[in-house]
Amino acid sequence: MRRFNLAVLVALTLGAGLTAMPAQAHDGTRSSGLANCTAGACHFDVPPGTYDVRVLLGGQADSSTSISGETRRSLLPETPVAAGEQVARSFTVNVRTPEGEPTGPDGTPGLDLALGGSAPALADIRVTPARHARQILLIGDSTVCDQPADPYSGWGQQLPQYLRKGVSVANYADSGESTVTYLQNPQLWATVQPLIRPGDLVLIQLAHNDKTTDEATYRTNLETLVAGVREKGGDPVLVTPIVRRWFNADGTLNNNTALLVNGLGVDHPAVIRSVAAAEDVPLIDLTAKTKALVESLGVEGSKAIYLYNEKKDNTHTSVHGATVYAGLVRDALVAEHLVSRGQMRVG
């Protein structure tokens, strides 16, 4: 992300009433963490790696603060604090190059964080190297990736806000990728596989762009990814794709476009379910979960989940929709005992 100009941020702060309260160390000097911050953003010159971030939120007035970082990742949900009080929150963040999509621009070196929320107030911040953090690596397409610009957002971009300290998301999803291209591109699978450590979770959702992939190839590609994760000691999780918002006249999504059946008749969710069963791999049936949700919202209500209003787009999600879908993934991770309830922000 770009660096923030101090003068501009100060001007914005005065106009918006944003507060960034300098914490005092035991010797009365300003916190070294806040020394890396301007009114609305913080920058830490750290090398690629995994870092724990501890923030102290609150001020003299009622406040409500959220934190995002790097390429528009949601790292901490909006947190209200009553006037005169302070609360501590912690999360773990992945810093990498490129900082967003693996085939995208490098971004700004180091860790960039931005304050959001209706009345942000940061009293202190500390960034330290994470010890023994568990990774959740994501392999996917544009519906999962760290989207670089509004109004787009992938569910993987919103997932970090649901995690507590000790678990980080390393999102290696990339726009336009199929199982074929993900395996072929050296910036993708050949880069991701060496990063997998024993005990890491690797969530795999690839289907939207396998429009011309035959069933045998699709199945083999999924099996290759599963075997490659296990080779490194990681724990693969297969994820069926989010539905496309493509309604029938009866208000259901029971059609090939919505349910990701390609032009060759390959039923992608069905193949993923089959491979998961045959390979004894945990399954998150996001197709079924998103289908039920979209149908319950109906033709009008579901427009806000996708980018229909902005782009007439029934495939890609809005920030709101990606956040809702990330919540479905969070619930599945807890339900399947893949991540403990104590490691997730649930509810």
Side-chain angles (χ1 to χ4, degrees), residues 35-326:
N36 294 280
C37 301
T38 58
C42 302
H43 175 82
F44 295 86
D45 287 320
V46 295
T50 305
Y51 295 89
D52 291 331
V53 180
R54 183 185 185 276
V55 294
L56 193 63
L57 305 176
Q60 295 179 346
D62 289 344
S63 63
S64 189
T65 309
S66 62
I67 298 178
S68 60
E70 299 295 272
T71 303
R72 303 176 61 240
R73 300 179 218 159
S74 294
L75 299 172
L76 186 72
E78 189 156 355
T79 303
V81 182
E85 297 183 5
Q86 294 181 335
V87 300
R89 292 289 185 269
S90 297
F91 54 88
T92 302
V93 60
N94 169 257
V95 176
R96 62 182 184 270
T97 303
E99 69 179 32
E101 294 181 88
T103 62
D106 285 352
T108 302
L111 172 61
D112 285 290
L113 302 173
L115 299 181
S118 58
L122 178 65
D124 194 17
I125 184 169
R126 298 287 176 173
V127 175
T128 56
R131 307 296 182 190
H132 312 296
R134 189 185 191 191
Q135 293 186 114
I136 300 178
L137 294 101
L138 305 181
I139 292 173
D141 52 36
S142 58
T143 66
V144 184
C145 76
D146 288 349
Q147 289 280 0
D150 280 328
Y152 296 89
S153 181
W155 62 254
Q157 200 164 22
Q158 302 301 324
L159 185 60
Q161 67 186 296
Y162 293 122
L163 299 173
R164 297 186 187 276
K165 176 185 173 183
V167 185
S168 70
V169 173
N171 191 350
Y172 285 89
D174 196 70
S175 294
E177 307 300 342
S178 66
T179 59
V180 176
T181 61
Y182 204 95
L183 286 167
Q184 289 177 343
N185 190 330
Q187 293 177 281
L188 299 173
W189 178 236
T191 296
V192 175
Q193 190 189 23
L195 302 175
I196 301 170
R197 306 170 306 193
D200 286 343
L201 283 180
V202 184
L203 276 56
I204 302 166
Q205 186 215 279
L206 287 167
H208 278 272
N209 300 300
D210 279 280
K211 298 173 183 178
T212 60
T213 309
D214 64 80
E215 182 169 341
T217 301
Y218 186 64
R219 179 181 296 271
T220 297
N221 289 344
L222 292 175
E223 292 169 345
T224 298
L225 290 166
V226 166
V229 172
R230 285 175 166 166
E231 179 185 328
K232 294 295 184 178
D235 299 318
V237 180
L238 289 175
V239 183
T240 59
I242 67 170
V243 293
R244 296 190 181 102
R245 184 189 162 278
W246 199 264
F247 282 94
N248 295 330
D250 63 0
T252 70
L253 300 179
N254 298 322
N255 59 77
N256 288 353
T257 299
L259 298 182
L260 282 296
V261 178
N262 75 9
L264 301 178
V266 179
D267 186 333
H268 293 104
V271 175
I272 295 169
R273 296 179 190 118
S274 175
V275 172
E279 299 292 327
D280 193 25
V281 175
L283 174 74
I284 296 177
D285 198 340
L286 204 52
T287 305
K289 294 178 185 297
T290 55
K291 178 178 186 290
L293 176 62
V294 171
E295 288 181 342
S296 72
L297 292 172
V299 173
E300 289 302 316
S302 62
K303 288 179 179 178
I305 295 289
Y306 292 84
L307 293 174
Y308 181 85
N309 293 323
E310 299 87 348
K311 301 284 186 178
K312 297 296 186 289
D313 186 333
N314 292 308
T315 297
H316 298 97
T317 47
S318 63
V319 171
H320 166 67
T323 303
V324 171
Y325 284 178

